[in-house]
Amino acid sequence: MIEGAVWRKWVFFYIPLAAFVFLLLFPFYWMIITAVRPDAELYRPWNAPNYAPFWTANPTLEHIRYLLEETLFSTWMLNTMIIALVSTLISLVCGVFAGYALARLNFPFAGGLGTGIFVTYLVPQTLLFIPLSDIVRNFRLGDTPWALILTYPTFLIPFCTWLMMGYFKAIPKELEECARIDGASRFKAMLYIILPIAVPGILSAGIFAFTLSWNEFIYALVFLSSPEQKTVPVGVTSELIRGDVFFWGPLMAGALLGSIPVALVYSFFVEHYVAGLTGSVKG
Amino acid sequence: MAQVVIRNLNKKFDEVHAVKDVNLDIRDKEFMVFVGPSGCGKTTTLRMIAGLESVTSGQILIGERVVNDLPPMDRDIAMVFQNYALYPHMSVYDNMAFGLKMRKFDREEIRRRVHEAADILGIRDYLHRKPRQLSGGQRQRVALGRAIVRHPQVFLFDEPLSNLDAKLRVQMRVELKKLHERLGTTAVYVTHDQVEAMTLGDRVVVMRDGVVQQVGEPLELYNRPANLFVAGFLGSPAMNFSRVRVAAANGGLRIENEGLRLAVPPPLAGRVGRYVGRELTFGIRPEDLRIATEADPRDLSFEAVVEVVERLGSETLLDLSVGADTMVAAVEPDAPARVRGRLRLAVNPERMHFFDPATETAV
């Protein structure tokens, strides 16, 4: 906390904090207000006498009804959920094992391999989707959920591996040595001692991976084409923007509903998540 | 219960030769302490016994078995680590039971053994706590408990007391000693603290730069150090050393330099005699110096200037300058000494040490 006079607290703490909170929350507010605003208000010109962009007197659920009944939104939600969960699971399993190996097993070139994995994470998706689309086509995976379930790990595994490697390195190696003297094999020591201690790290990696795949846009746009296969980010933007016509109400309703699962995941695990980013283990 | 035998043990980490040709017989039920400065190879040796480091060459036997290629779990040992290495997500009970569960003991036997160990160590009331809810001393006890429930053939200790504060360390040292007497399990104990080594060890191994300097009972090492390093490492305050020249005088031998001129007592004369006309390192422990009286012969005492007086209550330490050397003398608490004063100090002729300056071995 900032010590001293009251005005210092306001100038250096409360006012910047308020500005920050406002900046972060305003898009959400805009999303909500647009989702419940009737069309007549949405398309009212800015110089009309009753123009009130930040408020509505006649909230409506019409856009949400339209989204759920007239579009494939619920299918998109289901698609996104399955794809995000499965790719997160694959990436977590691989990332935990790879991270453990890189942190603990002294094999030749472990350091170089670790760096190599990190470098693949830095290759932008906007470049990688070109060769990947070739691969997806060759395996005849185009327009199926597998196209995404198998390509998302290309960026999720490096990320999970790197995060888990850091976490495992912070766990004192004596714990494991002690377990091995106590009669556990290397695998059992990992299973019973290291993994339970690493739960906060695993949760953080999982939340991140889930969020990344939930929000992913470019692979989903390129690899999926039929409307019933799409994910929320692609479905909403491709089906609710027709030509140059933006259906703002349903669009924002889709964005709102689409962000709910991620918000839920974060709020459930926020404590573990913070522990995973900041802490390790105290002896 | 078992003996541990180490034959020509070597360990190389890439370029570093950490342990060099160590040979050692640790007897059944013995409490063996490895002591030395950091980086001397004592912990590496212990870790090789535990199976946590591979052996570059040589053999380790526990009981009758060569264990070189056995994984740690099959060596029937238990180890206590410096940072305790308690499993933070398990209760004290589960920490202690883990090794037994891994070895598929039945529940009742596990319960019996954990309670037995908890009673010995006085941690019965904490069995359901997590390690983070315990104090340092309690954690230390849990770590010990985890080792003793297994009834292993050998206990390995890696500086187990160095994370405790000074008072608790003394207390736990006594408890460790009692515990060893009660259980009688062979123990290998690594420490850099020479007081722990002297007080705990049935025998002590002094190591430096991966080489064993001397093995023996604590007092044997203290009274008859094999070389300059052992002499200087054991004892606090450390032994005084002074470079002297050996000369023949009046049918006897004499050592002398700027500040000293002492007769060599006859029992030592034979060995020192070979150095007549050459230099030797003379060593004398602070407690083997005392303030001289008129009765003390001139050739067994010397004159010194007092630089610092440290009154500890039980004794008084005098920092002295003797010729070009500095020395420490531990004298009686109320010794009449004042800073910059001149004093005569008498040496105990039976406890003079001589070392070859080139090889550093005892003469």
Side-chain angles (χ1 to χ4, degrees):
Chain A
M1 270 312 276
I2 290 159
E3 304 285 325
V6 175
W7 68 267
R8 289 175 68 97
K9 260 186 194 167
W10 278 96
V11 170
F12 293 112
F13 186 71
Y14 292 120
I15 292 174
L17 182 70
F20 197 67
V21 168
F22 178 77
L23 272 177
L24 280 180
L25 290 184
F26 183 73
F28 286 93
Y29 173 74
W30 192 248
M31 191 162 78
I32 293 167
I33 203 78
T34 310
V36 298
R37 190 188 288 271
D39 274 336
E41 280 187 31
L42 276 176
Y43 299 105
R44 187 177 286 160
W46 67 270
N47 53 0
N50 52 357
Y51 181 68
F54 300 113
W55 188 244
T56 175
N58 314 299
T60 171
L61 294 177
E62 169 59 22
H63 299 311
I64 294 172
R65 188 203 61 77
Y66 177 86
L67 184 74
L68 295 178
E69 289 180 6
E70 312 286 322
T71 70
L72 291 165
F73 185 76
S74 46
T75 314
W76 301 335
M77 281 289 267
L78 193 68
N79 288 343
T80 318
M81 185 67 81
I82 291 170
I83 289 166
L85 281 179
V86 176
S87 54
T88 298
L89 200 69
I90 294 174
S91 312
L92 265 188
V93 171
C94 295
V96 165
F97 282 113
Y100 177 85
L102 288 171
R104 279 291 196 268
L105 311 179
N106 293 318
F107 56 91
F109 312 117
L113 195 62
T115 315
I117 288 174
F118 187 58
V119 169
T120 59
Y121 180 64
L122 298 179
V123 178
Q125 292 175 37
T126 41
L127 286 181
L128 215 53
F129 85 88
I130 300 167
L132 275 178
S133 63
D134 208 33
I135 295 170
V136 165
R137 197 181 56 235
N138 287 344
F139 282 93
R140 297 177 193 285
L141 296 172
D143 210 21
T144 68
W146 290 105
L148 299 187
I149 290 175
L150 296 179
T151 49
Y152 283 177
T154 57
F155 60 89
L156 294 182
I157 289 178
F159 172 78
C160 291
T161 304
W162 198 253
L163 203 147
M164 289 318 298
M165 185 171 91
Y167 204 85
F168 286 134
K169 275 187 177 164
I171 298 175
K173 70 179 191 318
E174 285 87 354
L175 286 178
E176 212 177 336
E177 292 176 344
C178 193
R180 289 175 61 207
I181 289 174
D182 265 350
S185 60
R186 183 145 222 154
F187 186 73
K188 274 188 174 170
M190 177 180 159
L191 200 63
Y192 293 124
I193 305 297
I194 303 301
L195 287 191
I197 296 171
V199 162
I202 295 172
L203 278 180
S204 318
I207 290 171
F208 256 121
F210 182 82
T211 314
L212 282 175
S213 33
W214 185 274
N215 293 338
E216 205 283 332
F217 187 78
I218 191 159
Y219 290 178
L221 181 70
V222 175
F223 299 149
L224 304 177
S225 46
S226 47
E228 65 274 13
Q229 293 291 351
K230 285 182 176 167
T231 61
V232 171
V234 175
V236 167
T237 44
S238 62
E239 304 293 316
L240 293 173
I241 303 172
R242 295 176 196 146
D244 60 350
V245 182
F246 286 71
F247 291 80
W248 282 118
L251 204 54
M252 286 302 175
L256 181 67
L257 296 185
S259 58
I260 286 175
V262 175
L264 282 180
V265 166
Y266 267 88
S267 55
F268 265 120
F269 296 117
V270 70
E271 275 177 34
H272 279 300
Y273 171 74
V274 171
L277 289 185
T278 56
S280 65
V281 188
K282 279 192 185 161
Chain B
M1 313 289 152
Q3 58 181 3
V4 178
V5 180
I6 296 173
R7 298 242 179 281
N8 299 320
L9 188 67
N10 278 280
K11 176 69 186 178
K12 284 181 187 159
F13 296 105
D14 297 328
E15 297 303 303
V16 184
H17 198 164
V19 175
K20 296 172 192 159
D21 282 326
V22 171
N23 280 290
L24 211 55
D25 283 295
I26 301 168
R27 298 170 200 136
D28 186 20
K29 302 188 182 178
E30 188 170 37
F31 201 115
M32 181 66 105
V33 178
F34 282 65
V35 69
S38 33
C40 72
K42 56 191 193 296
T43 296
T44 307
T45 308
L46 188 80
R47 290 172 59 85
M48 282 192 281
I49 299 173
L52 299 172
E53 298 285 353
S54 62
V55 172
T56 306
S57 71
Q59 271 190 338
I60 299 174
L61 289 90
I62 297 176
E64 305 296 314
R65 282 188 307 170
V66 176
V67 296
N68 281 32
D69 298 318
L70 286 182
M73 56 188 283
D74 295 331
R75 295 190 180 199
D76 203 5
I77 48 166
M79 186 156 167
V80 177
F81 291 84
Q82 178 174 359
N83 61 4
Y84 320 132
L86 300 180
Y87 312 131
H89 58 299
M90 294 185 187
S91 67
V92 169
Y93 182 94
D94 288 332
N95 260 283
M96 289 165 70
F98 182 77
L100 301 173
K101 282 181 187 160
M102 284 290 114
R103 284 160 210 276
K104 309 250 186 296
F105 281 72
D106 71 70
R107 283 174 69 94
E108 204 37 50
E109 174 69 6
I110 293 177
R111 218 182 69 85
R112 199 184 60 71
R113 285 204 191 183
V114 170
H115 283 178
E116 183 190 58
D119 286 339
I120 293 175
L121 294 161
I123 51 174
R124 188 75 182 251
D125 297 340
Y126 314 127
L127 283 179
H128 296 289
R129 291 208 197 158
K130 291 277 173 66
R132 67 170 172 276
Q133 298 165 304
L134 301 177
S135 69
Q138 290 165 342
R139 288 179 196 184
Q140 180 63 69
R141 273 171 233 246
V142 177
L144 282 174
R146 194 168 55 179
I148 66 181
V149 291
R150 294 248 324 277
H151 300 176
Q153 296 207 47
V154 183
F155 284 135
L156 305 176
F157 297 97
D158 185 11
E159 309 215 11
L161 303 184
S162 43
N163 279 11
L164 299 176
D165 62 60
K167 197 173 165 192
L168 203 52
R169 196 180 308 163
V170 174
Q171 190 188 334
M172 286 305 292
R173 201 169 74 203
V174 175
E175 288 194 25
L176 265 178
K177 185 99 183 162
K178 277 191 202 155
L179 193 66
H180 179 250
E181 255 145 46
R182 173 167 181 169
L183 300 173
T185 309
T186 313
V188 184
Y189 187 104
V190 162
T191 180
H192 61 266
D193 178 353
Q194 46 108 359
V195 179
E196 272 175 34
M198 297 290 289
T199 51
L200 282 171
D202 293 326
R203 283 195 300 158
V204 175
V205 183
V206 182
M207 287 185 79
R208 177 173 68 153
D209 297 338
V211 179
V212 171
Q213 304 288 308
Q214 192 174 4
V215 185
E217 289 171 17
L219 283 182
E220 182 186 339
L221 264 56
Y222 190 80
N223 294 330
R224 288 192 299 281
N227 59 33
L228 204 60
F229 176 78
V230 176
F233 190 78
L234 297 179
S236 173
M239 187 186 280
N240 300 300
F241 296 113
S242 182
R243 189 61 73 87
V244 294
R245 179 167 282 278
V246 182
N250 311 334
L253 288 174
R254 202 168 63 191
I255 53 167
E256 56 191 14
N257 64 15
E258 277 178 62
L260 293 173
R261 173 180 287 235
L262 299 171
V264 178
L268 285 169
R271 278 172 286 156
V272 176
R274 285 179 286 133
Y275 290 85
V276 171
R278 288 194 287 153
E279 289 201 318
L280 268 182
T281 302
F282 162 64
I284 185 87
R285 292 201 182 273
E287 68 269 26
D288 297 327
L289 294 173
R290 59 185 169 77
I291 294 176
T293 61
E294 288 303 318
D296 282 305
R298 303 293 285 178
D299 61 359
L300 280 176
S301 60
F302 58 89
E303 192 146 282
V305 178
V306 179
E307 301 275 349
V308 179
V309 179
E310 297 174 281
R311 299 201 184 269
L312 303 181
S314 60
E315 60 183 359
T316 293
L317 299 182
L318 303 177
D319 276 61
L320 308 163
S321 88
V322 183
D325 299 313
T326 57
M327 288 196 175
V328 178
V331 297
E332 57 271 35
D334 51 356
R338 40 184 193 81
V339 177
R340 300 203 202 298
R342 294 187 81 82
L343 273 180
R344 254 199 113 67
L345 289 140
V347 301
N348 181 346
E350 284 157 22
R351 303 183 58 98
M352 293 165 78
H353 301 270
F354 295 98
F355 304 93
D356 185 308
T359 63
E360 299 196 343
T361 52
V363 171

Short mmCIF file of all heavy atoms in Angstrom, two decimals, chain B residues 172-198:
data_model
loop_
_atom_site.label_atom_id
_atom_site.label_comp_id
_atom_site.label_asym_id
_atom_site.label_seq_id
_atom_site.Cartn_x
_atom_site.Cartn_y
_atom_site.Cartn_z
N MET B 172 18.59 -31.64 19.63
CA MET B 172 18.34 -32.74 18.70
C MET B 172 19.56 -33.65 18.57
O MET B 172 19.43 -34.84 18.33
CB MET B 172 17.97 -32.20 17.32
CG MET B 172 16.59 -31.61 17.21
SD MET B 172 15.25 -32.71 17.72
CE MET B 172 15.30 -33.96 16.45
N ARG B 173 20.74 -33.05 18.76
CA ARG B 173 21.96 -33.84 18.68
C ARG B 173 21.95 -34.90 19.77
O ARG B 173 22.23 -36.07 19.53
CB ARG B 173 23.14 -32.89 18.87
CG ARG B 173 24.44 -33.37 18.36
CD ARG B 173 25.43 -32.25 18.37
NE ARG B 173 25.88 -31.94 19.72
CZ ARG B 173 26.39 -30.76 20.09
NH1 ARG B 173 26.49 -29.79 19.22
NH2 ARG B 173 26.77 -30.57 21.32
N VAL B 174 21.57 -34.47 20.96
CA VAL B 174 21.50 -35.42 22.08
C VAL B 174 20.44 -36.48 21.79
O VAL B 174 20.65 -37.67 22.02
CB VAL B 174 21.17 -34.66 23.38
CG1 VAL B 174 20.97 -35.63 24.52
CG2 VAL B 174 22.28 -33.66 23.70
N GLU B 175 19.29 -36.04 21.24
CA GLU B 175 18.23 -37.01 20.96
C GLU B 175 18.64 -38.02 19.91
O GLU B 175 18.31 -39.20 20.00
CB GLU B 175 16.96 -36.28 20.53
CG GLU B 175 16.31 -35.57 21.69
CD GLU B 175 14.91 -35.13 21.36
OE1 GLU B 175 14.28 -35.74 20.47
OE2 GLU B 175 14.45 -34.15 21.98
N LEU B 176 19.37 -37.52 18.92
CA LEU B 176 19.86 -38.44 17.88
C LEU B 176 20.76 -39.51 18.49
O LEU B 176 20.68 -40.69 18.16
CB LEU B 176 20.67 -37.66 16.84
CG LEU B 176 19.92 -37.21 15.60
CD1 LEU B 176 20.85 -36.41 14.71
CD2 LEU B 176 19.40 -38.41 14.84
N LYS B 177 21.61 -39.06 19.37
CA LYS B 177 22.55 -39.97 20.02
C LYS B 177 21.78 -41.04 20.82
O LYS B 177 22.06 -42.22 20.75
CB LYS B 177 23.46 -39.16 20.93
CG LYS B 177 24.56 -39.96 21.57
CD LYS B 177 25.86 -39.79 20.83
CE LYS B 177 26.97 -40.64 21.41
NZ LYS B 177 28.06 -40.82 20.48
N LYS B 178 20.78 -40.57 21.57
CA LYS B 178 19.96 -41.50 22.36
C LYS B 178 19.24 -42.47 21.46
O LYS B 178 19.18 -43.67 21.73
CB LYS B 178 18.90 -40.71 23.14
CG LYS B 178 19.37 -40.12 24.44
CD LYS B 178 18.15 -39.62 25.21
CE LYS B 178 18.53 -38.57 26.22
NZ LYS B 178 17.40 -37.67 26.52
N LEU B 179 18.70 -41.92 20.37
CA LEU B 179 17.94 -42.74 19.43
C LEU B 179 18.82 -43.84 18.86
O LEU B 179 18.42 -45.00 18.76
CB LEU B 179 17.43 -41.85 18.30
CG LEU B 179 16.38 -42.45 17.39
CD1 LEU B 179 15.11 -42.70 18.16
CD2 LEU B 179 16.10 -41.51 16.23
N HIS B 180 20.06 -43.47 18.55
CA HIS B 180 20.96 -44.46 17.98
C HIS B 180 21.28 -45.54 19.00
O HIS B 180 21.34 -46.73 18.69
CB HIS B 180 22.24 -43.81 17.47
CG HIS B 180 23.21 -44.81 16.90
ND1 HIS B 180 24.38 -45.12 17.53
CD2 HIS B 180 23.13 -45.58 15.81
CE1 HIS B 180 25.00 -46.05 16.82
NE2 HIS B 180 24.27 -46.34 15.78
N GLU B 181 21.46 -45.11 20.25
CA GLU B 181 21.76 -46.10 21.27
C GLU B 181 20.58 -47.05 21.47
O GLU B 181 20.75 -48.24 21.71
CB GLU B 181 22.12 -45.41 22.59
CG GLU B 181 23.62 -45.48 22.84
CD GLU B 181 24.16 -44.26 23.51
OE1 GLU B 181 23.55 -43.80 24.50
OE2 GLU B 181 25.20 -43.76 23.05
N ARG B 182 19.38 -46.51 21.36
CA ARG B 182 18.19 -47.32 21.56
C ARG B 182 17.95 -48.29 20.40
O ARG B 182 17.60 -49.45 20.61
CB ARG B 182 17.00 -46.37 21.69
CG ARG B 182 15.68 -47.05 21.75
CD ARG B 182 14.63 -46.06 22.20
NE ARG B 182 13.36 -46.73 22.27
CZ ARG B 182 12.29 -46.21 22.83
NH1 ARG B 182 12.37 -45.01 23.38
NH2 ARG B 182 11.17 -46.86 22.85
N LEU B 183 18.13 -47.80 19.16
CA LEU B 183 17.80 -48.63 18.00
C LEU B 183 18.98 -49.48 17.53
O LEU B 183 18.79 -50.56 16.99
CB LEU B 183 17.34 -47.76 16.82
CG LEU B 183 16.10 -46.91 17.08
CD1 LEU B 183 15.86 -45.99 15.91
CD2 LEU B 183 14.88 -47.78 17.33
N GLY B 184 20.19 -48.96 17.72
CA GLY B 184 21.38 -49.71 17.34
C GLY B 184 21.53 -49.93 15.85
O GLY B 184 22.23 -50.84 15.43
N THR B 185 20.87 -49.12 15.04
CA THR B 185 20.99 -49.29 13.59
C THR B 185 22.26 -48.59 13.10
O THR B 185 22.58 -47.50 13.56
CB THR B 185 19.77 -48.67 12.89
OG1 THR B 185 18.61 -49.18 13.50
CG2 THR B 185 19.77 -48.98 11.42
N THR B 186 22.95 -49.23 12.18
CA THR B 186 24.12 -48.60 11.56
C THR B 186 23.72 -47.24 10.99
O THR B 186 22.67 -47.13 10.35
CB THR B 186 24.65 -49.49 10.41
OG1 THR B 186 24.72 -50.82 10.89
CG2 THR B 186 25.99 -49.01 9.94
N ALA B 187 24.54 -46.22 11.23
CA ALA B 187 24.18 -44.90 10.76
C ALA B 187 25.37 -44.24 10.07
O ALA B 187 26.50 -44.37 10.53
CB ALA B 187 23.71 -44.02 11.92
N VAL B 188 25.10 -43.58 8.97
CA VAL B 188 26.11 -42.78 8.29
C VAL B 188 25.60 -41.35 8.30
O VAL B 188 24.48 -41.08 7.86
CB VAL B 188 26.35 -43.24 6.84
CG1 VAL B 188 27.49 -42.45 6.22
CG2 VAL B 188 26.64 -44.73 6.80
N TYR B 189 26.42 -40.46 8.81
CA TYR B 189 25.96 -39.10 9.10
C TYR B 189 26.92 -38.12 8.47
O TYR B 189 28.13 -38.20 8.69
CB TYR B 189 25.95 -38.93 10.62
CG TYR B 189 25.35 -37.65 11.14
CD1 TYR B 189 24.08 -37.66 11.71
CD2 TYR B 189 26.05 -36.46 11.11
CE1 TYR B 189 23.52 -36.50 12.22
CE2 TYR B 189 25.49 -35.30 11.63
CZ TYR B 189 24.23 -35.32 12.18
OH TYR B 189 23.68 -34.17 12.70
N VAL B 190 26.39 -37.21 7.66
CA VAL B 190 27.25 -36.22 7.00
C VAL B 190 27.03 -34.86 7.64
O VAL B 190 25.89 -34.47 7.88
CB VAL B 190 26.91 -36.15 5.50
CG1 VAL B 190 27.45 -34.87 4.88
CG2 VAL B 190 27.49 -37.34 4.77
N THR B 191 28.11 -34.19 7.95
CA THR B 191 27.98 -32.85 8.52
C THR B 191 29.21 -32.04 8.18
O THR B 191 30.26 -32.58 7.84
CB THR B 191 27.81 -32.92 10.05
OG1 THR B 191 27.68 -31.59 10.56
CG2 THR B 191 28.99 -33.59 10.72
N HIS B 192 29.07 -30.71 8.22
CA HIS B 192 30.27 -29.88 8.08
C HIS B 192 30.65 -29.32 9.45
O HIS B 192 31.61 -28.58 9.58
CB HIS B 192 30.04 -28.75 7.09
CG HIS B 192 28.94 -27.82 7.52
ND1 HIS B 192 27.64 -27.97 7.10
CD2 HIS B 192 28.95 -26.77 8.35
CE1 HIS B 192 26.90 -27.04 7.66
NE2 HIS B 192 27.66 -26.30 8.43
N ASP B 193 29.85 -29.70 10.47
CA ASP B 193 30.04 -29.14 11.80
C ASP B 193 30.90 -30.10 12.62
O ASP B 193 30.48 -31.21 12.93
CB ASP B 193 28.66 -28.94 12.43
CG ASP B 193 28.75 -28.40 13.84
OD1 ASP B 193 29.88 -28.30 14.37
OD2 ASP B 193 27.70 -28.09 14.42
N GLN B 194 32.10 -29.67 12.97
CA GLN B 194 33.01 -30.59 13.65
C GLN B 194 32.54 -30.94 15.06
O GLN B 194 32.86 -32.01 15.57
CB GLN B 194 34.43 -30.02 13.64
CG GLN B 194 34.52 -28.57 14.01
CD GLN B 194 35.14 -28.37 15.37
OE1 GLN B 194 35.49 -29.33 16.04
NE2 GLN B 194 35.26 -27.12 15.77
N VAL B 195 31.71 -30.06 15.66
CA VAL B 195 31.19 -30.40 16.99
C VAL B 195 30.23 -31.59 16.89
O VAL B 195 30.29 -32.53 17.68
CB VAL B 195 30.49 -29.19 17.64
CG1 VAL B 195 29.94 -29.58 19.00
CG2 VAL B 195 31.46 -28.03 17.76
N GLU B 196 29.35 -31.55 15.89
CA GLU B 196 28.45 -32.68 15.66
C GLU B 196 29.25 -33.95 15.40
O GLU B 196 28.93 -35.02 15.90
CB GLU B 196 27.55 -32.42 14.45
CG GLU B 196 26.28 -31.68 14.78
CD GLU B 196 25.49 -31.32 13.52
OE1 GLU B 196 25.50 -32.09 12.56
OE2 GLU B 196 24.86 -30.25 13.53
N ALA B 197 30.29 -33.81 14.61
CA ALA B 197 31.09 -34.98 14.27
C ALA B 197 31.72 -35.58 15.53
O ALA B 197 31.66 -36.79 15.75
CB ALA B 197 32.18 -34.58 13.27
N MET B 198 32.30 -34.72 16.36
CA MET B 198 32.98 -35.20 17.56
C MET B 198 32.00 -35.83 18.54
O MET B 198 32.28 -36.85 19.16
CB MET B 198 33.70 -34.05 18.26
CG MET B 198 34.80 -33.40 17.47
SD MET B 198 36.24 -34.42 17.24
CE MET B 198 36.91 -34.45 18.89
#
